[in-house]
Amino acid sequence: MVASIQNVEKSFHQRPVLNGVSLDITKGDLIAIIGPSGCGKSTFLRCINGLEFVDKGKLEIFGTELCSPLEIGAKEFQRRSLIIRQKVGMVFQSFNLFPHLTILENLMVAPKVVRNISKTDSDARAHEFLAKVGLGDKAHNYPDQLSGGQQQRAAIARALAMSPEILLYDEPTSALDPALVNEVLRVMKQLDQEGMTQMVVTHEMRFARDVADKIVFMDHGKIVEMGPPEQIFGNPQDERTKNFLRHFQ
Amino acid sequence: MMKIFIFVILFFHFNASFAQKPKLRWGADIESGAPFSYTDPADHKTVIGFEVEIVELLAKEMGMEVEYVQNSWDGLIAGLNRNDYDIVVNGLEITPDRAQVVHFSKPYYYTSESLVVRASNTNVATLDDLKNKRVGTLDGSLAQRILNQLTFPLTVVGYDEEIHSYSDLVIGRLDAVLLDEAIALYYAKPNIELKVVGGPIGYMEYGVVTRLNDPKFSRRVDAALEKIIENGSVQRILEKWNLWNAMSAKAWGKSAEPLTPPVAYDKYISEAWKKETIVQKLKRYASFLPLLGKGAIMTLEISTISMVLAMILGLLTALARLYGHPVVKWLAVAYVEVFRGTPLLIQLYLIFYGLPYVGLTLDPFVAAVLGLGLNYGSCEAENYRAGILSIPKTQMDAAQALGMNWFQSLRHIILPQAVKVVIPPVTNDFIALLKDSSLVSVISMVELTTVYGQLASSSFDYLGLGLLTALVYFVIGLPFVRLARYFESQLANNLPGEQRTRRARPKLFIF
Ligand SMILES: Nc1ncnc2c1ncn2[C@@H]1O[C@H](COP(=O)(O)OP(=O)(O)OP(=O)(O)O)[C@@H](O)[C@H]1O
Ligand SMILES: [Mg+2]
């Protein structure tokens, strides 16, 4: 087990968004999180790497414990978040590449700034990751010269360049033309085969069913049901799960 | 011939000194014009005038050497008390108000006011004829006080350049002008469209001004002045400039008849009032260029350093306002609001003339840069703030998710993007600053506008010199206008996809 989330609660302006979420993540897992819009999937993901703080409950990510900054202080929360982010990569729906940097520089900036890795070392590694996601020839282009699918693959390569042990994806294909979705999913599938631990918030039910090890269905800030894809898709127990999945048949 | 090289004036803040004699630092405004102290129309590298000659003589008597310090006339006493120079000899009338804050010597010149009307005017000859008339004069002068004390209705128009009041009189905007005798003699009498009417009006005395806090030095100055009055040297200077009059004669117990011819006056009239051919005119303009060039360099120097200061201040203020502790945030907001909400001119006055009262006396150059820098810093702060806010929050998320801390994210991801957004407005602000820098002429900085004023007041060519100076501003601003447009097009070209690879390069230096 690489990470464990216990009874996490979070509100925005007194409105509860997460109401006691617990989840264990095992090494090599690909976990797909599904659920209706606004149920708190993104918020849950962002709590894992400390981009949002939780109000209650605790998370233990690769041995670092994270809980409400009210308990441990804002400074300590930031310090621990920084440790966790060394191991946790994140990919966003809107790619969030740095537009003022070339693709290569996008991959090299964090290793240089955070880890002080020499230009030659990080340059070689960056090329390696770009080749891996099929963008070997785009190193010197700027993000806005790439298609959406290419940008998202570059964003995955950028996360990989920090050698994370888990990758979190927040709807990585939602902003893409349908024709470009597969090239991104293929990369995720390949990473899964290589043993990368991944957690994906997604609406791609086919992908979830075919590739995920575990499906997590969330509704109203709670995990309603989770289990292997055959169970969730084949034999959902909860009414809400059934209702939700009916839209995708 | 007594001449003082202007280049000393231009670079006085470097305090170039190559003489052994102790310096007598003399404050004056060469824009005050003939016959006081002004740039020689025949050779505008030198300053001449009857006060120049008196100061030279005074310094010689005291075993000192004159060092000229330029200051605007309004600020002469303030500058003296700032210790920018040691004496002022520049048409300062001895008044009880002034005697409160500075020491006056015995008068070196006694004079009065003269009434001037259009040559065709036959119904104004005395003050009593001014009822319901528009009368021009110099702001803050004895003449203005005399006019304001008249008991019948009239309109008094105050000018800050005597020459402008006479030109308004010629074109009919005024009915009469009441100004110092010397000014009428030099600016109205030679003009065939104007005439001096009536006799002397009022009475005033010009004195040498020193600081109150150094009575020993004041006594030395007074003694030296008395000596050169006694031996007739001052009288000869006044005669030379056609300023010897009954009042001075009476005060010193001499005959009102001049003993020597008014050679300097005659020379002035022949040079200043001669008709020029176009070629002569162009030659004269060409001869102005080196001086205007020096002014332009100073303008660029001040503007560039101020802008660098403004950009640093602006960035720090924007960061303080966006991310600072509430107290810091409040300070940043206060700074921006105060400096954006008050006139630059007042800020410059406060920094240069106000701060010495709390013990902080700044060099004019430093004061100019500080004033412009602080003022523009408040604009740049808003530019930077808008620039930083225009970068989507998701960029900060992405940077932090990669393990960068807040400062690293700001430094490597947010600011580089914000700066790109901010460059065009900042370049535009620089152009505005370049023009606003003309205001620092009021705090005795000799830059382009000061040079214009000095040349204009000796040649009266306000139209030609005004156009020439505007042209110089335009030319030094042009590269930056082009640069701003270039940056703007760069930003506009920063479009997605194909367009970027084929980005047209705007040509930088072609109109
Ligand atoms: N920064 C925030 N401030 C206030 N409310 C927020 C914030 N972020 C999210 N919320 C609210 O929290 C709730 C859950 O949001 P979240 O983005 O986690 O949902 P989601 O499941 O990811 O939905 P979607 O499928 O639409 O992305 C929503 O009602 C949203 O409006
Ligand atoms: Mg979401």
Side-chain angles (χ1 to χ4, degrees):
Chain A
M1 201 166 66
V2 293
S4 148
I5 295 120
Q6 288 152 35
N7 256 317
V8 161
E9 293 180 25
K10 163 117 194 131
S11 307
F12 282 118
H13 317 296
Q14 276 94 46
R15 209 171 59 82
V17 174
L18 298 178
N19 303 307
V21 178
S22 300
L23 181 70
D24 289 339
I25 304 168
T26 317
K27 189 166 168 49
D29 266 1
L30 194 160
I31 300 175
I33 302 178
I34 59 173
S37 183
C39 72
K41 306 181 296 290
S42 300
T43 308
F44 178 45
L45 220 54
R46 291 164 63 86
C47 284
I48 294 176
N49 68 350
L51 280 184
E52 300 284 0
F53 58 83
V54 298
D55 299 331
K56 277 207 187 111
K58 69 175 189 191
L59 308 95
E60 199 185 313
I61 320 286
F62 298 101
T64 304
E65 197 182 289
L66 205 60
C67 51
S68 164
L70 287 178
E71 277 175 51
I72 53 173
K75 252 211 167 103
E76 177 63 13
F77 179 86
Q78 281 308 321
R79 193 186 70 83
R80 292 191 195 177
S81 298
L82 282 174
I83 296 172
I84 288 170
R85 288 177 199 149
Q86 299 278 323
K87 302 247 165 96
V88 180
M90 192 170 215
V91 175
F92 300 87
Q93 179 176 352
S94 53
F95 327 137
N96 300 2
L97 290 171
F98 306 132
H100 63 300
L101 302 177
T102 63
I103 298 302
L104 189 66
E105 290 163 345
N106 261 275
L107 267 70
M108 285 165 55
V109 61
K112 177 170 170 294
V113 170
V114 179
R115 302 229 171 102
N116 223 344
I117 290 176
S118 77
K119 199 172 147 65
T120 37
D121 285 1
S122 77
D123 188 87
R125 277 169 54 81
H127 275 105
E128 186 187 314
F129 287 117
L130 283 178
K132 191 186 189 92
V133 300
L135 292 175
D137 55 336
K138 299 290 186 198
H140 299 290
N141 289 49
Y142 281 88
D144 59 17
Q145 295 170 300
L146 268 56
S147 74
Q150 291 171 332
Q151 287 191 53
Q152 193 60 298
R153 284 185 281 145
I156 296 173
R158 180 177 68 176
L160 289 174
M162 286 297 281
S163 346
E165 302 201 22
I166 181 170
L167 273 178
L168 310 176
Y169 301 80
D170 191 358
E171 305 199 30
T173 57
S174 296
L176 298 180
D177 283 350
L180 303 176
V181 168
N182 271 328
E183 59 187 67
V184 173
L185 296 182
R186 213 159 30 228
V187 170
M188 294 163 67
K189 200 163 157 183
Q190 185 195 340
L191 288 171
D192 183 51
Q193 282 159 3
E194 289 170 10
M196 174 62 83
T197 313
Q198 300 179 91
M199 199 159 142
V200 192
V201 172
T202 187
H203 294 292
E204 293 296 327
M205 294 304 157
R206 273 267 287 284
F207 174 78
R209 194 181 57 200
D210 297 347
V211 185
D213 300 299
K214 193 190 228 173
I215 308 289
V216 173
F217 173 70
M218 281 179 73
D219 194 14
H220 285 98
K222 274 197 161 78
I223 294 181
V224 173
E225 206 175 341
M226 65 179 153
E230 310 82 64
Q231 182 199 318
I232 302 293
F233 289 106
N235 184 20
Q237 302 297 303
D238 199 282
E239 269 312 304
R240 287 168 289 180
T241 320
K242 288 182 195 164
N243 243 325
F244 177 74
L245 288 173
R246 199 167 298 138
H247 298 295
F248 292 93
Q249 298 310 308
Chain B
M1 186 89 210
M2 285 161 246
K3 290 180 177 177
I4 296 158
F5 281 95
I6 269 201
F7 106 82
V8 176
I9 303 160
L10 279 171
F11 292 102
F12 71 89
H13 72 278
F14 295 128
N15 270 325
S17 58
F18 11 72
Q20 317 78 354
K21 280 192 193 165
K23 296 281 187 210
L24 180 63
R25 294 179 305 155
W26 167 47
D29 183 3
I30 61 176
E31 282 183 48
S32 54
F36 305 98
S37 44
Y38 62 107
T39 52
D40 187 346
D43 169 16
H44 20 256
K45 284 194 190 62
T46 63
V47 182
I48 55 174
F50 87 94
E51 288 177 334
V52 178
E53 297 185 12
I54 289 178
V55 172
E56 290 277 347
L57 211 58
L58 201 59
K60 205 168 146 207
E61 190 60 40
M62 296 171 71
M64 298 173 87
E65 188 167 329
V66 178
E67 180 182 315
Y68 186 101
V69 181
Q70 163 65 25
N71 200 352
S72 66
W73 196 83
D74 291 333
L76 279 176
I77 287 182
L80 178 73
N81 284 331
R82 276 171 48 95
N83 205 3
D84 287 348
Y85 33 81
D86 306 312
I87 62 166
V88 178
V89 183
N90 198 193
L92 274 184
E93 186 196 344
I94 303 174
T95 64
D97 284 354
R98 288 186 183 136
Q100 298 268 316
V101 287
V102 287
H103 169 83
F104 276 105
S105 69
K106 288 236 179 72
Y108 59 84
Y109 176 51
Y110 301 79
T111 185
S112 58
E113 306 293 334
S114 298
L115 192 60
V116 172
V117 296
R118 276 185 296 282
S120 56
N121 188 331
T122 51
N123 49 30
V124 175
T126 67
L127 284 183
D128 295 331
D129 303 326
L130 294 178
K131 193 171 174 187
N132 295 326
K133 297 282 194 281
R134 283 175 67 81
V135 187
T137 184
L138 213 56
D139 267 329
S141 63
L142 169 68
Q144 195 177 39
R145 290 198 298 281
I146 292 174
L147 291 171
N148 284 338
Q149 277 161 16
L150 294 176
T151 48
F152 46 78
L154 80 167
T155 312
V156 178
V157 186
Y159 287 77
D160 52 9
E161 290 280 357
E162 47 274 65
I163 185 77
H164 292 161
S165 63
Y166 288 129
S167 51
D168 273 2
L169 177 60
V170 169
I171 61 178
R173 283 193 193 137
L174 297 172
D175 301 306
V177 169
L178 185 68
L179 276 175
D180 295 5
E181 179 194 21
I183 295 171
L185 198 61
Y186 275 75
Y187 299 91
K189 209 170 164 222
N191 189 337
I192 49 160
E193 292 175 83
L194 300 175
K195 64 178 179 190
V196 180
V197 292
I201 298 166
Y203 170 76
M204 65 180 155
E205 304 166 335
Y206 289 168
V208 175
V209 186
T210 49
R211 273 185 295 280
L212 278 176
N213 65 11
D214 194 353
K216 219 173 119 201
F217 177 74
S218 300
R219 274 198 298 277
R220 268 183 73 201
V221 172
D222 293 356
L225 181 68
E226 213 147 325
K227 184 118 181 270
I228 56 175
I229 288 174
E230 221 127 84
N231 68 21
S233 309
V234 175
Q235 180 179 348
R236 267 195 301 282
I237 292 171
L238 293 177
E239 285 172 354
K240 180 176 164 189
W241 291 91
N242 200 14
L243 298 171
W244 184 243
N245 57 20
M247 276 168 282
S248 303
K250 191 172 158 224
W252 295 338
K254 303 274 169 71
S255 153
E257 271 311 304
L259 306 170
T260 52
V263 283
Y265 179 73
D266 292 344
K267 183 162 181 283
Y268 166 83
I269 298 297
S270 70
E271 273 164 2
W273 292 88
K274 72 168 176 242
K275 281 260 174 273
E276 279 180 314
T277 64
I278 297 237
V279 177
Q280 279 170 328
K281 207 166 193 159
L282 288 178
K283 263 197 189 138
R284 189 160 54 81
Y285 287 156
S287 72
F288 288 153
L289 288 179
L291 270 185
L292 286 171
K294 272 182 187 162
I297 288 169
M298 182 51 78
T299 289
L300 269 175
E301 208 174 291
I302 293 172
S303 304
T304 313
I305 300 176
S306 309
M307 197 61 195
V308 171
L309 178 67
M311 282 167 69
I312 295 170
L313 264 175
L315 179 60
L316 293 178
T317 309
L319 291 177
R321 193 164 173 184
L322 283 170
Y323 308 113
H325 183 273
V327 175
V328 176
K329 209 176 263 190
W330 186 87
L331 283 174
V333 173
Y335 159 65
V336 170
E337 295 307 319
V338 166
F339 277 84
R340 275 202 321 178
T342 53
L344 174 58
L345 190 60
I346 301 297
Q347 291 164 15
L348 286 170
Y349 277 135
L350 274 173
I351 290 170
F352 192 64
Y353 293 119
L355 286 185
Y357 286 92
V358 293
L360 186 61
T361 304
L362 297 172
D363 174 274
F365 187 83
V366 175
V369 165
L370 197 65
L372 286 167
L374 280 169
N375 185 275
Y376 272 80
S378 63
C379 304
E380 295 329 307
E382 289 304 278
N383 277 335
Y384 273 115
R385 200 167 73 95
I388 291 171
L389 286 175
S390 76
I391 308 304
K393 216 195 138 293
T394 51
Q395 289 286 308
M396 188 56 125
D397 282 350
Q400 295 200 314
L402 284 166
M404 294 189 219
N405 64 29
W406 177 83
F407 180 76
Q408 292 166 335
S409 308
L410 191 71
R411 155 89 179 70
H412 294 279
I413 305 302
I414 307 299
L415 285 184
Q417 298 184 56
V419 162
K420 263 181 121 171
V421 178
V422 161
I423 281 176
V426 166
T427 314
N428 278 321
D429 279 353
F430 180 76
I431 297 158
L433 188 149
L434 202 67
K435 292 181 284 183
D436 273 357
S437 72
S438 66
L439 287 176
V440 306
S441 58
V442 302
I443 58 167
S444 80
M445 218 34 239
V446 181
E447 43 66 76
L448 196 45
T449 297
T450 323
V451 174
Y452 153 79
Q454 293 169 351
L455 292 174
S457 66
S458 69
S459 68
F460 321 118
D461 188 0
Y462 286 89
L463 178 65
L465 257 167
L467 288 172
L468 198 63
T469 310
L471 184 70
V472 176
Y473 270 110
F474 181 74
V475 166
I476 62 177
L478 193 60
F480 300 100
V481 174
R482 298 294 308 163
L483 213 58
R485 223 177 289 165
Y486 172 79
F487 287 136
E488 266 159 17
S489 63
Q490 281 253 317
L491 206 66
N493 261 311
N494 220 341
L495 295 169
E498 291 294 286
Q499 293 168 41
R500 178 160 188 150
T501 33
R502 291 187 282 105
R503 176 166 61 207
R505 274 184 183 279
K507 295 187 188 69
L508 245 179
F509 293 108
I510 295 172
F511 227 121

